[in-house]
Coordinates of all heavy atoms in Angstrom, one line a residue:
Chain A
H64 N -15.9 -15.5 -6.1 CA -16.5 -15.5 -4.8 C -17.0 -14.2 -4.4 O -17.8 -13.8 -3.6 CB -15.6 -15.9 -3.8 CG -14.5 -15.1 -3.2 ND1 -13.4 -14.9 -4.0 CD2 -14.5 -14.1 -2.2 CE1 -12.6 -13.9 -3.2 NE2 -13.4 -13.6 -2.3
D65 N -16.5 -13.1 -5.2 CA -16.7 -11.7 -4.8 C -17.6 -11.1 -5.8 O -17.8 -11.5 -7.1 CB -15.4 -10.9 -4.8 CG -15.6 -9.7 -4.0 OD1 -16.7 -9.5 -3.4 OD2 -14.7 -8.9 -3.8
V88 N -16.5 -5.7 -5.7 CA -16.9 -4.8 -4.7 C -15.8 -4.6 -3.8 O -15.7 -3.5 -3.2 CB -18.1 -5.5 -4.0 CG1 -17.7 -6.7 -3.1 CG2 -18.8 -4.5 -3.1
S89 N -14.7 -5.4 -3.6 CA -13.7 -5.0 -2.7 C -12.5 -4.5 -3.5 O -11.5 -4.3 -3.0 CB -13.3 -6.4 -2.0 OG -13.0 -7.4 -2.8
S111 N -6.1 -4.9 -3.8 CA -5.5 -5.0 -2.3 C -5.1 -6.4 -2.0 O -4.4 -6.5 -1.1 CB -6.6 -4.4 -1.4 OG -6.8 -3.0 -1.6
Y112 N -5.6 -7.4 -2.8 CA -5.3 -8.8 -2.5 C -5.1 -9.5 -3.8 O -5.4 -9.0 -4.9 CB -6.4 -9.3 -1.8 CG -7.7 -9.5 -2.3 CD1 -8.1 -10.5 -3.3 CD2 -8.6 -8.4 -2.1 CE1 -9.4 -10.4 -3.8 CE2 -9.8 -8.4 -2.7 CZ -10.2 -9.4 -3.5 OH -11.6 -9.3 -4.2
L113 N -4.4 -10.6 -3.8 CA -4.2 -11.5 -4.9 C -5.4 -12.3 -5.4 O -6.2 -12.6 -4.5 CB -3.2 -12.5 -4.6 CG -1.7 -12.1 -4.4 CD1 -0.9 -13.2 -3.9 CD2 -1.2 -11.6 -5.8
P114 N -5.7 -12.2 -6.7 CA -6.8 -13.1 -7.1 C -6.5 -14.5 -7.2 O -5.3 -14.9 -6.9 CB -6.9 -12.7 -8.7 CG -5.5 -12.3 -9.0 CD -4.9 -11.6 -7.8
S115 N -7.6 -15.4 -7.2 CA -7.4 -16.8 -7.0 C -6.9 -17.1 -8.5 O -7.4 -16.9 -9.5 CB -8.7 -17.5 -6.8 OG -9.1 -17.1 -5.7
M116 N -5.6 -17.8 -8.4 CA -5.1 -18.3 -9.6 C -5.8 -19.2 -10.4 O -5.5 -19.4 -11.7 CB -3.5 -18.6 -9.4 CG -2.7 -17.5 -8.9 SD -2.7 -16.1 -10.3 CE -2.2 -14.8 -9.3
D117 N -6.5 -20.1 -9.7 CA -7.1 -21.2 -10.4 C -8.4 -20.6 -11.3 O -9.0 -21.4 -12.0 CB -7.6 -22.2 -9.4 CG -8.5 -21.9 -8.4 OD1 -8.8 -20.8 -8.4 OD2 -8.9 -22.8 -7.6
S129 N 4.0 -22.5 -10.1 CA 4.4 -23.0 -8.8 C 5.8 -23.5 -8.6 O 6.3 -23.6 -7.6 CB 3.5 -24.1 -8.5 OG 3.7 -25.2 -9.4
L133 N 14.7 -20.6 -8.4 CA 15.5 -19.8 -7.6 C 15.1 -18.4 -7.4 O 15.4 -17.4 -8.0 CB 17.0 -19.6 -8.3 CG 18.1 -18.7 -7.6 CD1 18.5 -19.5 -6.4 CD2 19.1 -18.5 -8.5
K134 N 14.2 -18.3 -6.5 CA 13.5 -16.8 -6.3 C 13.8 -16.3 -4.9 O 14.5 -15.3 -4.9 CB 12.0 -17.0 -6.5 CG 11.7 -17.2 -7.8 CD 11.8 -16.0 -8.8 CE 11.8 -16.3 -10.2 NZ 12.8 -16.9 -10.8
F135 N 13.3 -16.9 -3.9 CA 13.5 -16.2 -2.5 C 13.2 -14.8 -2.5 O 13.7 -14.0 -1.8 CB 14.9 -16.4 -2.0 CG 15.1 -17.9 -1.9 CD1 16.3 -18.4 -2.4 CD2 14.4 -18.8 -1.1 CE1 16.7 -19.8 -2.3 CE2 14.7 -20.1 -1.0 CZ 15.8 -20.6 -1.7
N136 N 12.1 -14.5 -3.4 CA 11.7 -13.0 -3.5 C 10.3 -13.1 -3.2 O 9.4 -13.5 -4.0 CB 12.0 -12.5 -4.9 CG 11.6 -11.1 -5.0 OD1 11.2 -10.4 -4.0 ND2 11.4 -10.5 -6.2
T137 N 9.9 -12.4 -2.0 CA 8.5 -12.6 -1.7 C 7.6 -11.4 -2.3 O 6.4 -11.5 -2.2 CB 8.4 -12.3 0.0 OG1 9.1 -11.0 0.1 CG2 9.1 -13.5 0.6
K138 N 8.1 -10.4 -3.0 CA 7.4 -9.4 -3.6 C 7.3 -9.2 -5.0 O 6.5 -8.5 -5.6 CB 7.9 -8.1 -3.0 CG 8.2 -8.1 -1.5 CD 7.0 -8.3 -0.7 CE 7.3 -8.3 0.9 NZ 8.6 -8.7 1.4
S139 N 8.1 -9.9 -5.8 CA 8.1 -9.9 -7.2 C 8.5 -11.2 -7.9 O 9.4 -11.8 -7.5 CB 9.1 -8.8 -7.6 OG 9.2 -8.6 -9.0
I140 N 7.7 -11.8 -9.0 CA 8.0 -12.9 -9.5 C 8.0 -12.6 -11.0 O 6.8 -11.9 -11.5 CB 7.1 -14.0 -9.2 CG1 7.5 -14.5 -7.9 CG2 7.1 -15.1 -10.2 CD1 6.5 -15.7 -7.3
S141 N 8.8 -13.1 -11.8 CA 8.8 -12.9 -13.3 C 9.1 -14.2 -13.9 O 10.3 -14.7 -13.8 CB 9.8 -11.7 -13.7 OG 9.7 -11.5 -15.2
N143 N 9.3 -16.3 -17.8 CA 9.1 -16.2 -19.2 C 9.4 -17.5 -19.8 O 10.7 -17.8 -19.8 CB 9.9 -15.1 -19.8 CG 9.7 -14.8 -21.3 OD1 9.0 -15.6 -21.9 ND2 10.2 -13.7 -21.7
V150 N 4.0 -12.4 -14.6 CA 4.5 -11.4 -13.6 C 3.7 -11.1 -12.6 O 2.5 -10.9 -12.8 CB 5.1 -10.0 -14.4 CG1 6.3 -10.4 -15.3 CG2 4.1 -9.4 -15.0
S151 N 4.1 -11.1 -11.4 CA 3.3 -10.7 -10.2 C 4.2 -10.0 -9.2 O 5.3 -10.3 -8.9 CB 2.7 -11.9 -9.5 OG 2.0 -11.8 -8.5
S152 N 3.5 -8.9 -8.7 CA 4.3 -8.0 -7.8 C 3.5 -7.4 -6.8 O 2.2 -7.2 -7.0 CB 5.0 -6.9 -8.8 OG 5.7 -6.0 -7.9
G153 N 4.1 -7.0 -5.7 CA 3.3 -6.2 -4.8 C 3.4 -6.7 -3.3 O 4.1 -7.8 -3.1
R154 N 2.8 -6.1 -2.5 CA 2.7 -6.5 -1.0 C 1.3 -6.3 -0.5 O 0.5 -5.8 -1.3 CB 3.5 -5.5 -0.2 CG 4.9 -5.5 -0.8 CD 5.8 -4.3 -0.2 NE 5.3 -3.0 -0.6 CZ 5.8 -1.9 -0.1 NH1 6.6 -1.8 0.9 NH2 5.3 -0.8 -0.6
M155 N 0.9 -6.9 0.7 CA -0.3 -6.6 1.2 C -0.8 -5.3 1.2 O 0.1 -4.4 1.4 CB -0.5 -7.2 2.7 CG -0.6 -8.7 2.9 SD -0.8 -9.2 4.6 CE -2.5 -8.7 4.9
R156 N -2.0 -5.1 0.7 CA -2.5 -3.7 0.4 C -2.3 -3.3 -1.0 O -3.0 -2.3 -1.4 CB -1.9 -2.6 1.4 CG -2.2 -2.8 2.9 CD -1.5 -1.7 3.7 NE -1.6 -2.0 5.1 CZ -1.8 -1.1 6.0 NH1 -2.2 0.2 5.6 NH2 -1.8 -1.5 7.3
F158 N -1.4 -5.3 -4.9 CA -0.8 -6.2 -5.7 C -1.0 -5.8 -7.1 O -2.1 -5.3 -7.4 CB -1.3 -7.7 -5.4 CG -0.9 -8.2 -4.2 CD1 -1.8 -8.2 -3.0 CD2 0.5 -8.8 -4.0 CE1 -1.4 -8.8 -1.8 CE2 0.9 -9.3 -2.7 CZ -0.1 -9.2 -1.8
N159 N -0.2 -6.3 -8.2 CA -0.7 -6.1 -9.5 C 0.2 -7.3 -10.4 O 1.3 -7.8 -9.9 CB -0.3 -4.8 -10.1 CG 1.1 -4.5 -10.1 OD1 2.0 -4.8 -10.9 ND2 1.5 -3.7 -9.1
Y161 N 0.3 -9.9 -14.4 CA -0.5 -10.3 -15.6 C 0.2 -11.6 -16.1 O 1.3 -12.0 -15.6 CB -0.4 -9.2 -16.6 CG 1.1 -8.9 -17.2 CD1 1.6 -9.6 -18.2 CD2 1.8 -7.9 -16.6 CE1 2.9 -9.3 -18.7 CE2 3.0 -7.5 -17.0 CZ 3.5 -8.4 -18.1 OH 4.9 -8.1 -18.5
Q178 N 0.5 -4.7 -20.2 CA 1.3 -4.3 -19.2 C 0.8 -2.9 -18.5 O 1.0 -2.6 -17.4 CB 2.8 -4.1 -19.5 CG 3.5 -5.3 -19.9 CD 4.8 -5.2 -20.6 OE1 5.1 -4.2 -21.3 NE2 5.7 -6.2 -20.4
Chain B
D58 N 19.9 -22.7 1.4 CA 19.9 -22.3 0.0 C 19.3 -20.9 -0.3 O 19.1 -20.5 -1.4 CB 19.0 -23.3 -0.9 CG 17.7 -23.5 -0.3 OD1 17.3 -22.7 0.6 OD2 16.9 -24.1 -1.0
Y59 N 19.3 -20.0 0.8 CA 18.7 -18.6 0.6 C 19.7 -17.8 0.0 O 20.9 -17.8 0.4 CB 18.2 -18.1 2.0 CG 17.0 -17.4 1.9 CD1 15.7 -17.9 2.5 CD2 16.9 -16.1 1.2 CE1 14.6 -17.2 2.4 CE2 15.7 -15.5 1.1 CZ 14.6 -16.0 1.8 OH 13.4 -15.3 1.7
D86 N 11.9 -8.4 7.4 CA 11.0 -8.0 6.2 C 10.4 -6.6 6.4 O 9.5 -6.4 7.0 CB 10.0 -9.1 5.8 CG 9.3 -8.7 4.5 OD1 9.8 -7.9 3.9 OD2 8.1 -9.3 4.3
G88 N 9.0 -5.2 4.2 CA 8.0 -5.1 3.1 C 6.6 -5.7 3.6 O 5.7 -5.8 2.8
E117 N -5.9 -16.2 9.3 CA -5.4 -15.2 8.2 C -4.9 -16.0 7.0 O -4.1 -17.0 7.3 CB -4.5 -14.2 8.7 CG -4.1 -13.2 7.6 CD -3.3 -11.9 8.1 OE1 -2.6 -12.2 9.1 OE2 -3.3 -10.9 7.6
Q120 N -0.7 -13.1 2.4 CA -0.3 -13.2 0.8 C 0.9 -12.4 0.4 O 1.1 -11.4 0.7 CB -1.6 -12.7 0.0 CG -2.9 -13.4 0.3 CD -4.1 -12.7 -0.2 OE1 -4.0 -11.8 -1.2 NE2 -5.2 -12.7 0.3
F121 N 1.7 -13.3 -0.2 CA 3.0 -12.8 -0.8 C 2.8 -13.3 -2.2 O 2.2 -14.4 -2.6 CB 4.2 -13.5 -0.2 CG 4.5 -13.0 1.3 CD1 4.2 -13.9 2.2 CD2 4.9 -11.8 1.6 CE1 4.4 -13.5 3.6 CE2 5.1 -11.4 2.9 CZ 4.8 -12.2 4.0
V122 N 3.6 -12.7 -3.2 CA 3.4 -13.1 -4.5 C 4.1 -14.5 -4.7 O 3.8 -15.3 -5.6 CB 4.1 -12.2 -5.6 CG1 3.2 -10.9 -5.6 CG2 5.5 -12.0 -5.3
S123 N 5.0 -14.8 -3.7 CA 5.7 -16.2 -3.8 C 4.8 -17.3 -3.2 O 5.1 -18.4 -3.2 CB 7.0 -16.1 -3.1 OG 6.8 -15.5 -1.7
S164 N -5.7 -21.0 -3.5 CA -5.8 -20.9 -5.0 C -4.9 -19.6 -5.2 O -4.7 -19.3 -6.4 CB -7.1 -20.6 -5.5 OG -7.8 -19.5 -4.9
K165 N -4.5 -18.9 -4.2 CA -3.8 -17.6 -4.5 C -2.3 -17.8 -4.7 O -1.5 -16.9 -5.1 CB -4.0 -16.6 -3.4 CG -5.4 -16.1 -3.3 CD -5.7 -15.1 -2.3 CE -7.1 -14.8 -2.1 NZ -7.7 -14.2 -3.3
S176 N 11.3 -21.5 3.8 CA 12.8 -21.3 3.9 C 13.2 -20.4 5.1 O 14.2 -19.8 5.1 CB 13.5 -20.8 2.7 OG 13.2 -21.6 1.6
F186 N 3.9 0.4 8.7 CA 2.6 0.3 9.1 C 2.4 -0.4 10.5 O 3.3 -1.2 10.8 CB 1.7 -0.4 8.0 CG 1.6 0.3 6.8 CD1 2.1 -0.4 5.6 CD2 1.1 1.5 6.6 CE1 2.2 0.3 4.4 CE2 1.2 2.2 5.3 CZ 1.6 1.6 4.2
N188 N -0.4 -2.1 11.5 CA -1.1 -3.5 11.4 C -1.0 -4.0 9.9 O -0.6 -3.1 9.0 CB -2.4 -3.4 11.9 CG -3.3 -2.2 11.4 OD1 -3.5 -2.1 10.2 ND2 -3.5 -1.2 12.2
D189 N -1.3 -5.2 9.6 CA -1.0 -5.7 8.3 C -2.0 -5.4 7.2 O -1.7 -5.1 6.0 CB -0.7 -7.1 8.4 CG -2.0 -8.1 8.7 OD1 -3.0 -7.5 9.0 OD2 -1.8 -9.3 8.6
G191 N -5.0 -3.1 7.7 CA -5.5 -1.7 7.9 C -6.9 -1.5 7.7 O -7.8 -2.6 7.8
F193 N -8.8 -1.4 5.2 CA -9.4 -2.3 4.0 C -10.1 -3.5 4.6 O -11.2 -3.8 4.2 CB -8.4 -2.9 3.1 CG -8.8 -3.7 2.0 CD1 -9.6 -3.2 1.0 CD2 -8.6 -5.0 2.0 CE1 -10.1 -4.1 0.1 CE2 -9.0 -5.9 1.0 CZ -9.8 -5.4 0.1
N199 N -15.3 -9.2 2.3 CA -14.6 -10.0 1.3 C -13.1 -9.6 1.1 O -12.7 -9.3 -0.1 CB -15.2 -10.0 -0.1 CG -16.6 -10.8 -0.1 OD1 -16.5 -11.9 0.4 ND2 -17.6 -10.4 -0.8
S201 N -10.4 -11.2 1.8 CA -9.5 -12.2 1.3 C -8.4 -12.4 2.3 O -7.5 -13.2 2.1 CB -8.8 -11.9 0.0 OG -9.6 -12.2 -1.0
Y202 N -8.2 -11.7 3.4 CA -7.3 -11.9 4.4 C -7.7 -12.6 5.7 O -7.3 -13.7 6.0 CB -6.6 -10.6 4.8 CG -5.8 -10.0 3.6 CD1 -6.1 -8.8 3.1 CD2 -4.5 -10.6 3.2 CE1 -5.4 -8.3 1.9 CE2 -3.9 -10.1 2.2 CZ -4.3 -8.8 1.5 OH -3.5 -8.4 0.5
T279 N 0.6 3.1 0.5 CA 1.3 2.0 -0.1 C 2.8 2.0 0.2 O 3.4 1.1 -0.2 CB 1.2 2.2 -1.7 OG1 1.6 3.5 -2.1 CG2 -0.3 2.0 -2.1
Y295 N 9.6 0.8 -4.0 CA 9.6 0.7 -2.5 C 10.9 0.0 -2.0 O 11.5 -0.8 -2.8 CB 8.4 -0.1 -2.1 CG 8.2 -1.4 -2.6 CD1 8.7 -2.8 -2.2 CD2 7.4 -1.6 -3.9 CE1 8.4 -3.8 -2.8 CE2 7.1 -2.8 -4.5 CZ 7.6 -3.9 -3.9 OH 7.3 -5.2 -4.6
D297 N 12.6 -2.7 0.4 CA 12.1 -4.0 0.9 C 13.2 -4.9 1.2 O 13.8 -5.6 0.4 CB 11.2 -4.7 -0.1 CG 10.6 -5.9 0.4 OD1 10.7 -6.3 1.5 OD2 10.2 -6.8 -0.6
G299 N 12.8 -7.7 2.5 CA 12.3 -9.1 2.3 C 12.6 -9.6 0.8 O 12.1 -10.8 0.4
S300 N 12.9 -8.7 0.0 CA 13.3 -9.1 -1.5 C 14.7 -9.3 -1.6 O 15.6 -8.5 -1.1 CB 12.8 -8.0 -2.5 OG 11.4 -7.9 -2.6
N301 N 15.1 -10.2 -2.3 CA 16.5 -10.6 -2.3 C 17.4 -9.8 -3.4 O 18.6 -10.1 -3.4 CB 16.8 -12.1 -2.4 CG 16.2 -12.6 -3.8 OD1 15.7 -11.9 -4.4 ND2 16.7 -13.8 -4.0
Y304 N 15.1 -5.1 -8.2 CA 14.2 -5.5 -9.4 C 13.7 -4.3 -10.0 O 13.1 -3.4 -9.4 CB 13.1 -6.5 -8.9 CG 13.5 -7.8 -8.2 CD1 13.8 -8.0 -7.0 CD2 13.9 -8.7 -9.3 CE1 14.2 -9.3 -6.5 CE2 14.2 -10.0 -8.8 CZ 14.5 -10.2 -7.5 OH 15.0 -11.4 -6.9
F317 N 17.5 -22.0 -14.6 CA 17.7 -21.9 -13.0 C 17.8 -20.5 -12.6 O 17.4 -20.1 -11.5 CB 18.9 -22.6 -12.8 CG 19.1 -22.7 -11.2 CD1 18.2 -23.7 -10.5 CD2 20.1 -22.1 -10.5 CE1 18.4 -23.9 -9.1 CE2 20.3 -22.3 -9.2 CZ 19.3 -23.2 -8.6
I319 N 16.3 -17.8 -14.3 CA 15.1 -17.0 -14.9 C 14.6 -16.1 -13.9 O 14.5 -16.4 -12.6 CB 14.1 -17.9 -15.3 CG1 14.4 -18.5 -16.7 CG2 12.8 -17.1 -15.4 CD1 13.3 -19.4 -17.3
Y321 N 16.3 -13.1 -13.3 CA 17.5 -12.3 -13.0 C 18.1 -11.8 -14.2 O 17.9 -12.3 -15.3 CB 18.5 -13.1 -12.1 CG 18.0 -13.4 -10.7 CD1 17.4 -14.7 -10.5 CD2 18.0 -12.5 -9.7 CE1 16.8 -15.0 -9.3 CE2 17.4 -12.9 -8.6 CZ 16.9 -14.1 -8.2 OH 16.4 -14.5 -7.1
T372 N 8.0 -6.4 -13.1 CA 6.8 -6.8 -13.7 C 6.7 -6.4 -15.1 O 5.7 -6.9 -15.9 CB 5.6 -6.2 -12.9 OG1 5.5 -4.8 -13.1 CG2 5.5 -6.6 -11.5
G373 N 7.5 -5.6 -15.7 CA 7.3 -5.3 -17.0 C 6.5 -4.1 -17.2 O 6.2 -3.5 -18.3
D377 N 7.5 -0.3 -11.0 CA 8.0 -0.5 -9.6 C 9.5 -0.8 -9.7 O 9.9 -1.7 -10.6 CB 7.3 -1.7 -8.9 CG 6.9 -2.8 -9.8 OD1 7.3 -2.7 -10.9 OD2 6.3 -3.8 -9.3

Side-chain angles (χ1 to χ4, degrees):
Chain A
H64 78 281
D65 202 356
V88 69
S89 52
S111 297
Y112 57 91
L113 286 168
S115 295
M116 288 303 150
D117 61 357
S129 65
L133 179 72
K134 289 293 171 281
F135 301 123
N136 180 18
T137 55
K138 314 299 183 328
S139 180
I140 285 178
S141 176
N143 189 346
V150 292
S151 183
S152 178
R154 305 168 287 173
M155 275 184 73
R156 301 183 184 218
F158 292 99
N159 62 81
Y161 62 88
Q178 293 167 334
Chain B
D58 57 0
Y59 219 114
D86 183 15
E117 186 176 19
Q120 297 162 34
F121 297 103
V122 295
S123 54
S164 65
K165 293 180 189 300
S176 294
F186 301 115
N188 50 67
D189 66 351
F193 178 73
N199 282 320
S201 280
Y202 290 110
T279 58
Y295 53 92
D297 179 20
S300 285
N301 67 345
Y304 294 94
F317 192 66
I319 279 178
Y321 294 96
T372 61
D377 44 357

